[in-house]
C-alpha cells in the first residue's frame, strides 16, 4: 500500500470510527476494568519512532509503573510509516489506545472527528509554556499536550566544512543563494557532499513566510504558484551545481531517517532537520554537529522559522481509564524523572521547572539544542494546528516535488497540480 492509499485509509477509518462511536458509550469513570496482572489497571500507549526511542520510552514506562504500582502501561510501538494506518484502524475498530502520540498535522483530523478526549482538568498544566500549550487546542478545547518543542533548522558538520577548507556561515544574514553556492563549493572540493535537501513541508512553510505568504490560510493553501516554483528552483539548482546528490540519490536518502542521512553517515556537510534530531545525527556520525538558522530570501523581514511541539500526547475520547491516562501524561510532561530519561527525544521539555531540573543531565548535543532554541526563540513565530487533511500534505508535496526534480513535469504544471490536490485535502 502506497503512502497516498494509507493517508486515504486514515480518513476513511476515522469516519467509520465516528459511526461506531454513536453506538458505543464513552466511558469516563477513570477506573475501568482491571486488565493488568495482579488486579492492576491496564492502559495502552501508542507511539512511533526509532529503536532508540523505543528503549527510552520503555525505561520511562518502567519508572512510571514504579511510582504508580496500581497501573500497568502497555507500550504499542510502531515505525513511522505504519503508525497512522495502524492508529486509524484501531480507532475504527473501537480499540483505540488509551494514550497516543500525535503530531500537529493530525490534530485537527482526529480532534475534529471526535476521536480525542478534552484533557482540560485531567492533569496540571500551569507550569507548561502556555503559548506552546495552546497549540494543542482546537475550538477552545485542550485535545493534546505538547511533548516538547523544537524548530526546523539547518544542521552543519563543522569538521566536514573544515575538511573542505570552508568556514561556518554567519547564519544571522545568509541567503538561500549563498547556501546553494556554499554547498556547490564544498562538493567541488571532493571532500564531501555540500548539502542534502528534502521536501519537508516545514521548509516550504518557512520559505513561504519569508516571502510574506502562509502555507495554510484557513481551509485553503495560502501560497502562490511563484513561491512554489521559486522553492523548487532551489532544489533544482542544488542538483545542477552538484551541491547535493542527484534526484534519484536524494529520493533514496530522503526515504530514510537521520541515522542514514548524509550528515548521519559522514557523507555530507549540511542538511535540514528538526532541532531535536541533533542528538541522533551526532551519535550516528560520531561528530559534533551544530544548529544554524535557516537561510533567508533576499530582503526578507522575517526568518519564517517557528517553534513547534515535536509531537503531542493525547487520550482517546472513548477510554474508560481517563484518570490513569491523565496521570500517565502528567508524568511524561511534568515529572523530572521522566524528563531525565527522555531528555530531548521528543523535544525539549516545555515545563520550565522540569527543564531546569534536568538541564545539567542533558548530553552535549541536547545542551546545544537548548542553547540554540534560547538564542532564536524571540525570532520564532507561534504555531497553530493546521486544518483537517494536513496529514496528506507531506505525501502530496513529495509527489509534486519529485515530478519537478526528476523532470517529469514543468514547475507550472506541478504547482497547479499541487494546489489542486492540497486544497482538496484541506477543504473540510
Amino acid at each position: 500500500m502506497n503512502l497516498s492509499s494509507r493517508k486515504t485509509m486514515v480518513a476513511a477509518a476515522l469516519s467509520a470510527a465516528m459511526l461506531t462511536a454513536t453506538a458505543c458509550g464513552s466511558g469516563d469513570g477513570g477506573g475501568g476494568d482491571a486488565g493488568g496482572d495482579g488486579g492492576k489497571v491496564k492502559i495502552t500507549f501508542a507511539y512511533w519512532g526509532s529503536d532508540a526511542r523505543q528503549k527510552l520510552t520503555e525505561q520511562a514506562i518502567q519508572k512510571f509503573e514504579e511510582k504508580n504500582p496500581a497501573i500497568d502501561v502497555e507500550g504499542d510501538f510502531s515505525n513511522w510509516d505504519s503508525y497512522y494506518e495502524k492508529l486509524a484502524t484501531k480507532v475504527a475498530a473501537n480499540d483505540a489506545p488509551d494514550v497516543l502520540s500525535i503530531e500537529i498535522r493530525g490534530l485537527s483530523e482526529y480532534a475534529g472527528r471526535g476521536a480525542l478526549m478534552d484533557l482540560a482538568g485531567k492533569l496540571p498544566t500551569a507550569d507548561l509554556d502556555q503559548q506552546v500549550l495552546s497549540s494543542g487546542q482546537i475550538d477552545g478545547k485542550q485535545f493534546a499536550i505538547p511533548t516538547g518543542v523544537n524548530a526546523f533548522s539547518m544542521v552543519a558538520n563543522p569538521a566536514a566544512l573544515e575538511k573542505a577548507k570552508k568556514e561556518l556561515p554567519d547564519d544571522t544574514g545568509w541567503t538561500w543563494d549563498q547556501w546553494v553556492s556554499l554547498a556547490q563549493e564544498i562538493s567541488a572540493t571532493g571532500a564531501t557532499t555540500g548539502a542534502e535537501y528534502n521536501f519537508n513541508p516545514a521548509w516550504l512553510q518557512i520559505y513561504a513566510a519569508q516571502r510574506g505568504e502562509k502555507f495554510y490560510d484557513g481551509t485553503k493553501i495560502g501560497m502562490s504558484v511563484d513561491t512554489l516554483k521559486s522553492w523548487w528552483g532551489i532544489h533544482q539548482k542544488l542538483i545542477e551545481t552538484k551541491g547535493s546528490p542527484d534526484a534519484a540519490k536524494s529520493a533514496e536518502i530522503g526515504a530514510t531517517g537521520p541515522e542514514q542521512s548524509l550528515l548521519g553517515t559522514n557523507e555530507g556537510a549540511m542538511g535540514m532537520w528538526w532541532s531535536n534530531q541533533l542528538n541522533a545525527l551526532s551519535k550516528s556520525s560520531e561528530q559534533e554537529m551544530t544548529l544554524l538558522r535557516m537561510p533567508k530570501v533576499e530582503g526578507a523581514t522575517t526568518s519564517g522559522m517557528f517553534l513547534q511541539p515535536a509531537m503531542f500526547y493525547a487520550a482517546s475520547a472513548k477510554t474508560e481509564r481517563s484518570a490513569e491516562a491523565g496521570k500517565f501524561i502528567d508524568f511524561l510532561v511534568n515529572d523530572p524523572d521522566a524528563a531525565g530519561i527522555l531528555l530531548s527525544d521528543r523535544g525539549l521539555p516545555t515545563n520550565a521547572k522540569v527543564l531546569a531540573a534536568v538541564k545539567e543531565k542533558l548530553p552535549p548535543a541536547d545542551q546545544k539544542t537548548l542553547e540554540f532554541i534560547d538564542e532564536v526563540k524571540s525570532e520564532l513565530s507561534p504555531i497553530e494546528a493546521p486544518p483537517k487533511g494536513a496529514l496528506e500534505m507531506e505525501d502530496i508535496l513529495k509527489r509534486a516535488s519529485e515530478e519537478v526534480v526528476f523532470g517529469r513535469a514543468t514547475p507550472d504544471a506541478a504547482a497547479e497540480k499541487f494546489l489542486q490536490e492540497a486544497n482538496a485535502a484541506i477543504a473540510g
Side-chain angles (χ1 to χ4, degrees), residues 384-428:
E384 50 185 52
K388 291 179 183 178
L391 272 174
E392 299 181 52
M393 204 54 58
E394 186 168 4
D395 189 31
I396 295 171
L397 182 59
K398 181 175 180 288
R399 287 201 307 270
S401 300
E402 288 189 341
E403 289 290 297
V404 173
V405 298
F406 277 98
R408 297 192 292 255
T410 65
D412 280 295
E416 183 178 345
K417 186 176 182 181
F418 168 78
L419 290 173
Q420 182 180 13
E421 291 186 15
N423 279 317
I426 63 173

Side-chain angles (χ1 to χ4, degrees), residues 313-338:
Y313 298 122
S316 168
K318 302 186 71 177
T319 181
E320 295 180 350
R321 306 166 183 88
S322 62
E324 289 80 8
K327 186 173 287 190
F328 182 56
I329 296 174
D330 177 23
F331 169 77
L332 292 173
V333 298
N334 289 323
D335 194 309
D337 284 341

